[in-house]
Amino acid sequence: MSVQKEIKKITTHTLLKMKAAGEKISMITAYDYSFARLFDDAGIDVVLVGDSASNVMAGHETTVPITLDQMIYHAQCVVRGINRSLVVVDLPFGSYQSNSDIALASAIRIMKESGGHSIKLEGGEEVLESIQRIVSAGIPVMGHLGLTPQSIYKFGTYNVRAKEETEAAKLKKDALLLEEAGCYAIVLEKIPASLAAEVSASLTIPTIGIGAGSGCNGQVLVMHDMLGISNMFKPRFLRQYLNLQEQIHTAVTQYISDVKSGDFPSEKESY
């Protein structure tokens, strides 16, 4: 029997056991109660309350504008829909980069006010002190390396990261530093598959890939992309399992037609 099926409640320790057993980890984003409940019922391992809410929920161009208060609100909604999955909440831009005191205070707020199970933050050696402070306070931390969307204005592009030897070497070093600092897992975003596989093999903690190939210990996708709620974003790494944009459009136009024609509500749909 798989580790995932044996466990009634997924924890950070479960993910470590899954990596040791060679069992892949499934992870998806969610931002509200209804979808969180659906994903949890389906058996997803990890639900990420991503700062991608800035894009898909608020309509911003980047993840930069979303605030800590907004992340806590989305996390509160998600946690209410969860019985089994591990809930990870992103620390948004500006809530941890200044210093480790601010980072710890932000992480504590998320844990206390949302009921989430762990936090995630972007960066390597430059945020090491913050990770150590947060972990030492008893808060589990998931790292994030490679393409880090909060730094998009620094990168200037969403292209694949760590293709050059210097950046790849830094990423490998950062991954080891994050493990040593106490991270229980690391997201690897949009890096060469060979590099992701090498990093994954070098760590005892699991890696979660997004655009990083099959050598990672798990995979994560943004729900809006995977379900086809928005068809504007179609990167190479995305597998779209539904086309809800088209289905919703069809359903709503039919509803409008039924209302306009007087077909809805029918006698059976009236009291």
Side-chain angles (χ1 to χ4, degrees), residues 58 74 83 108 112 137-138 140 153 158 170 186 194 207 211 229 244-245 251 253 258 262:
H74 285 293
N83 289 313
I108 288 172
K112 285 179 68 69
Y153 290 122
Y158 285 101
K170 182 182 187 308
I186 302 174
S194 58
T207 59
I229 296 173
L244 284 182
Q245 179 173 302
T253 54
D258 291 349

Side-chain angles (χ1 to χ4, degrees), residues 56 224-225 227-234 238 240 244-245:
V56 299
H224 288 69
D225 303 332
L227 296 176
I229 296 173
S230 172
N231 290 330
M232 295 183 293
F233 183 65
K234 292 185 177 180
L238 173 63
Q240 187 175 302
L244 284 182
Q245 179 173 302

Side-chain angles (χ1 to χ4, degrees), residues 74-207:
H74 285 293
Q76 288 170 338
C77 297
V78 166
V79 168
R80 294 187 194 108
I82 297 295
N83 289 313
R84 183 176 177 279
S85 304
L86 179 74
V87 178
V88 183
V89 185
D90 268 336
L91 282 182
F93 179 75
S95 69
Y96 64 94
Q97 288 93 342
S98 300
N99 59 61
S100 61
D101 291 336
I102 291 174
L104 177 58
S106 299
I108 288 172
R109 278 201 63 198
I110 284 178
M111 298 297 285
K112 285 179 68 69
E113 296 179 35
S114 77
H117 308 136
S118 75
I119 62 96
K120 180 171 78 65
L121 53 78
E122 298 178 1
E125 187 173 8
E126 60 274 14
V127 293
L128 210 58
E129 184 181 345
S130 293
I131 291 172
Q132 292 167 334
R133 287 285 304 277
I134 295 168
V135 170
S136 68
I139 300 172
V141 175
M142 179 180 283
H144 186 147
L145 297 173
L147 177 63
T148 48
Q150 291 178 11
S151 303
I152 189 57
Y153 290 122
K154 172 186 173 183
F155 293 147
T157 174
Y158 285 101
N159 290 343
V160 175
R161 305 302 311 173
K163 292 171 70 175
E164 302 300 326
E165 186 175 338
T166 301
E167 188 177 354
K170 182 182 187 308
L171 189 144
K172 287 188 280 188
K173 177 185 175 184
D174 282 342
L176 291 171
L177 288 174
L178 293 188
E179 180 178 60
E180 291 170 5
C183 286
Y184 70 88
I186 302 174
V187 168
L188 298 176
E189 181 167 358
K190 215 166 183 184
I191 64 173
S194 58
L195 175 61
E198 181 181 351
V199 170
S200 301
S202 73
L203 303 173
T204 59
I205 61 174
T207 59

